[in-house]
Amino acid sequence: MFLKEFFGEVNNPHPCRHCAGDMLLDFDVRMAFQPIVDAETRTVYAYEALVRGVNGEGAGEVIARVRPEQLYRFDQTCRVKAIATAARLGMQTRLSINFAPNAVYKPATCIRLTLAAAELCGFDPRQLIFEITESERILDVPHVVGIIKDYQGRGFLTAIDDFGAGYSGLNLLAEFQPDIVKLDMALIRNIDQDRVRRSITNGIVATCRSLGCRVLAEGVESAAEYRALREMGISLFQGYLFAKPGLESLPLVSTELWEQI
């Protein structure tokens, strides 16, 4: 189903007055998926949906085309594309979707399009995880906290992405406690060789454990990094060590890899 056709099937594509002026996108997007693995069960815990251009262009190139007046529509478009593509591929795991923290919307109203997409595509909405990126400056923290708490109240899992990379850090974690905290890859890189990075990460892991949040290490590229992080008690992983993102496909993790690492 084309995205334009889907939006046409939803009763009200502008679900609240705050979004009445959102501008249609003048470009299309596709979705890539990268597995998130659970080291304890050696299974794929979830797939993260990553936006790509129609010819496979990277997320940075796509996002650079989004004008401020298109932010809401871009956010909703990515959600619908992620769900529709995941359903078409027969995804049975959780689906992790990034959302724009500064998109102007009311969570109770604008979640309707996401739920409508899931229903129309036959995708169980209970499989959804919503990630808020910590690398983008949040303009209205109370509003974003309200969105997260609304999602949590509806039974969705939530995550802070790129933790340690950006603007809010521990202050954001103090405002709400997500189910998952994703450590930024810059903190992970060569952590097996870096005492300072290990010390910082150990502190974050201990804090998250006391708050009831699972820690996910993203951007893991080497077996040495993986082993160092496992020793800290981290069980969720994402990165090239396990699989690169697959454009409109669901990459599998080699069973032999677990024996090697």
Side-chain angles (χ1 to χ4, degrees):
M1 175 178 294
F2 293 100
L3 191 67
K4 183 177 180 181
E5 294 172 344
F6 173 80
F7 274 101
E9 291 196 19
V10 177
N11 290 333
N12 186 2
H14 302 287
C16 67
R17 64 182 179 83
H18 299 284
C19 305
D22 76 294
M23 179 179 290
L24 296 177
L25 296 181
D26 49 1
F27 59 91
D28 199 2
V29 299
R30 299 170 72 187
M31 285 290 154
F33 299 94
Q34 186 175 32
I36 295 168
V37 301
D38 188 328
E40 294 181 352
T41 61
R42 296 188 173 184
T43 59
V44 174
Y45 174 81
Y47 282 95
E48 181 181 1
L50 303 165
V51 68
R52 295 290 186 264
V54 293
N55 297 312
E57 298 91 340
E61 187 173 339
V62 176
I63 294 171
R65 298 183 62 182
V66 182
R67 299 193 292 275
E69 59 270 23
Q70 295 175 315
L71 183 59
Y72 168 79
R73 180 65 60 146
F74 178 71
D75 178 66
Q76 295 292 315
T77 296
C78 289
R79 294 184 188 211
V80 172
K81 272 294 180 83
I83 292 171
T85 308
R88 175 167 57 82
L89 295 173
M91 185 183 295
Q92 299 299 312
T93 65
R94 295 175 178 86
L95 170 62
S96 192
I97 299 176
N98 291 277
F99 74 91
N102 295 325
V104 180
Y105 58 172
K106 291 185 177 180
T109 303
C110 297
I111 194 65
R112 293 176 185 171
L113 189 60
T114 304
L115 297 177
E119 180 178 3
L120 192 63
C121 298
F123 191 86
D124 188 347
R126 293 173 296 182
Q127 295 174 225
L128 295 175
I129 304 172
F130 288 100
E131 295 187 23
I132 176 175
T133 179
E134 200 261 322
S135 60
E136 178 180 350
R137 184 181 298 277
I138 296 174
L139 302 178
D140 187 344
V141 172
H143 179 63
V144 173
V145 171
I147 293 171
I148 292 294
K149 290 185 175 180
D150 181 89
Y151 287 179
Q152 290 175 329
R154 295 172 185 275
F156 296 125
L157 295 183
T158 59
I160 296 179
D161 193 14
D162 303 320
F163 189 83
Y167 299 97
S168 302
L170 293 174
N171 289 332
L172 189 60
L173 186 60
E175 293 295 332
F176 71 91
Q177 292 72 55
D179 299 281
I180 301 169
V181 172
K182 300 182 69 174
L183 301 180
D184 184 71
M185 65 178 65
L187 186 60
I188 299 305
R189 189 63 59 246
N190 297 320
I191 194 169
D192 55 298
Q193 306 170 34
D194 194 317
R195 179 185 62 82
V196 174
R197 280 181 165 79
R198 289 198 301 275
S199 180
I200 293 171
T201 301
N202 268 317
I204 295 174
V205 170
T207 298
C208 289
R209 184 179 296 118
S210 69
L211 295 174
C213 308
R214 295 190 73 178
V215 174
L216 187 160
E218 56 182 344
V220 179
E221 295 185 352
S222 72
E225 290 172 347
Y226 166 78
R227 288 191 291 267
L229 293 160
R230 277 297 284 150
E231 289 176 0
M232 299 179 195
I234 296 174
S235 59
L236 294 179
F237 293 88
Q238 184 177 359
Y240 283 7
L241 175 64
F242 302 97
K244 294 182 179 181
L247 183 62
E248 295 187 355
S249 66
L250 303 178
L252 299 177
V253 179
S254 168
T255 54
E256 290 80 10
L257 176 66
W258 294 112
E259 304 302 325
Q260 297 170 4
I261 60 176

